[in-house]
Amino acid sequence: MQRKGITNLPLHSDHTPPWLWKRMVKLSAAITEVILEEYGHDEFLKRISNPYWFQGFSCVIGFDWHSSGTTTTTCGALRASLNPEEHGIVVLGGKGKNSRKTPSQLEDVSSTFNLSSKKTDELIQSSKLSAKIDNSCIQDTYTLYQHNFFLTENGKWAVIQQGMNTDTCYARRYHWLSTSVDDFLSSPHTAIECNKKEDKSLDMSSKESKEVQKISVDLVNDNPEHLRTYFKRKDPKQTLLTDFFDFNEKDNDPTGFNNQVSFSMPSHHEVLDMDLSDREFEVLRNAYEIQPSDYKELISLKGIGPKKIRALALISDLVYGQKASWEDPVKYSFAHGGKDGFPYPVDREVYDHSIKTIQDALNQAKIDNKEKYNAIKRLNKYL
């Protein structure tokens, strides 16, 4: 039996019924308008970037089942209900191909919010970096398929994006808040929500991976041609790094990274696949010609994806003795702790504040009494 307080997000491929969707858009607008008026834009971003508040908000507006569709539907309802000129906040991006429209949408909305071209470029970079980090620098078996960018008129932002593990059909949600990001590559998330914590996941966005980030840049800037010796056998007797890995033997360790001389892993998993092709070496050569100044610039380059990031990190460990973080950054979906003290005691102040913001917004929302009553019932059920 699963412990109470864990939010599972299984794949949900069906569509929200039209009758429910209309009510979700209406109710999400009513609640958000009150929060913006009573607490301001900054507090709304802070709340929406909190995975537990987000989950409660989703349930209150009518999403009674916990699945991957929670993120899609809630962000979609907010996108449909919020008008940048009226509310001073907008939701950009979306699911699938819509996620890739975020940069152009940022350029369009920058004139509405009177943002400078420099600020717009910074926002576009923030959007791309948050997606690149969660899809490539954090290698946790979840692949991003949606990216939602919340932007206020004063240029502050939050990101809610989601990845899917195609083997288990479960999702993982990543939350970002601009005011909490001091460094994109030093544990930048407000939270990462999922019901499962992997034993090993490469996390190049962790502050524990700082030295490996520097070595990765040095390896590229020092001409990646010399890296070929690690992957291409010039002599039949030459030993390669990949000789230390058994890609056919199955093992319970999803990454095969167990800090031993010999590694094993499921054959379908590519966490330690370091066999870079000539085409992939061409990407490294192009990066060498650009001479990236830091790791953020390196991972921003076209073609620098999970495989190359992983290979550089592994070389740093096995050759130079600098280890990247293999600690899964996910946090379980416990909203406020448990009454039995597991996984930690209830934080009453946080608990009460979460209730208060939604409850106050519901009480003041301009909706009929029946809708208000049903929303409060869902809130009480969730709590």
Side-chain angles (χ1 to χ4, degrees), residues 52 133-134 137-142 172-175 186-194 196-207 325-332:
Y52 316 123
I133 287 169
D134 288 344
C137 292
I138 297 178
Q139 300 187 21
D140 52 8
T141 74
Y142 293 81
R172 176 172 285 197
R173 193 162 64 224
Y174 307 81
H175 291 252
S186 185
S187 306
H189 300 83
T190 54
I192 301 176
E193 183 185 30
C194 186
K196 182 182 179 183
K197 188 178 181 72
E198 302 291 343
D199 291 334
K200 297 287 183 181
S201 294
L202 177 61
D203 183 9
M204 286 301 294
S205 73
S206 170
K207 58 185 177 182
S325 171
W326 286 85
E327 179 70 24
D328 190 350
V330 74
K331 296 179 181 178
Y332 285 112

Side-chain angles (χ1 to χ4, degrees), residues 143-176:
T143 303
L144 286 191
Y145 67 97
Q146 63 173 288
H147 171 82
N148 302 281
F149 196 91
F150 291 72
L151 177 66
T152 67
E153 58 190 358
N154 58 7
K156 294 181 181 179
W157 56 267
V159 166
I160 298 175
Q161 52 195 6
Q162 189 158 284
M164 179 66 67
N165 182 314
T166 54
D167 291 333
T168 64
C169 291
Y170 269 76
R172 176 172 285 197
R173 193 162 64 224
Y174 307 81
H175 291 252
W176 297 68

Side-chain angles (χ1 to χ4, degrees), residues 7-11 55 66-68 70 162 169-171 173 193:
T7 299
N8 297 321
L9 299 175
L11 175 64
Q55 198 72 26
H66 297 285
S67 73
S68 63
T70 304
Q162 189 158 284
C169 291
Y170 269 76
R173 193 162 64 224
E193 183 185 30

